[in-house]
Amino acid sequence: MEPQSHPDKTRTDVDSSPMRRSVEPVLMDTSEVAAMLNMSTSWVYREASKLGLKGYKLGRGRNAKVLYKRAEVFKWLEQQKIH
């Protein structure tokens, strides 16, 4: 008599298919920008407009979230390169 295989062992997982691609986020929140630049979030809030980074405010009041375009952050960072 052959041992029966468990149904879960023969099942293929849909999420692990090679057709599924991860999507790179377009926006970064203030804490992500600060961590990437190794600066504080207060520095990012204070200096962003001086650096030419335009924030996108989502929400209202104190709980509003400010997001920045990832491409703009990397563009600014590239301009800071010492030649």
Side-chain angles (χ1 to χ4, degrees), residues 11-30:
R11 192 181 81 199
T12 57
D13 214 348
V14 175
D15 290 339
S16 65
S17 72
M19 299 292 285
R20 191 173 177 97
R21 285 191 259 159
S22 63
V23 177
E24 186 73 22
V26 175
L27 300 172
M28 302 172 72
D29 67 18
T30 307

Side-chain angles (χ1 to χ4, degrees), residues 13-81:
D13 214 348
V14 175
D15 290 339
S16 65
S17 72
M19 299 292 285
R20 191 173 177 97
R21 285 191 259 159
S22 63
V23 177
E24 186 73 22
V26 175
L27 300 172
M28 302 172 72
D29 67 18
T30 307
S31 62
E32 290 173 320
V33 174
M36 187 185 83
L37 299 177
N38 198 24
M39 302 300 277
S40 67
T41 54
S42 60
W43 182 88
V44 174
Y45 283 120
R46 187 176 58 249
E47 300 293 323
S49 64
K50 296 176 192 174
L51 304 175
L53 298 176
K54 294 183 174 77
Y56 297 87
K57 186 175 176 182
L58 301 179
R60 294 183 183 183
R62 296 178 61 173
N63 294 328
K65 198 169 197 174
V66 178
L67 302 173
Y68 302 92
K69 284 187 178 179
R70 182 177 291 275
E72 289 179 4
V73 174
F74 281 102
K75 181 180 175 184
W76 173 82
L77 189 59
E78 191 64 28
Q79 291 170 353
Q80 304 313 303
K81 190 186 295 185

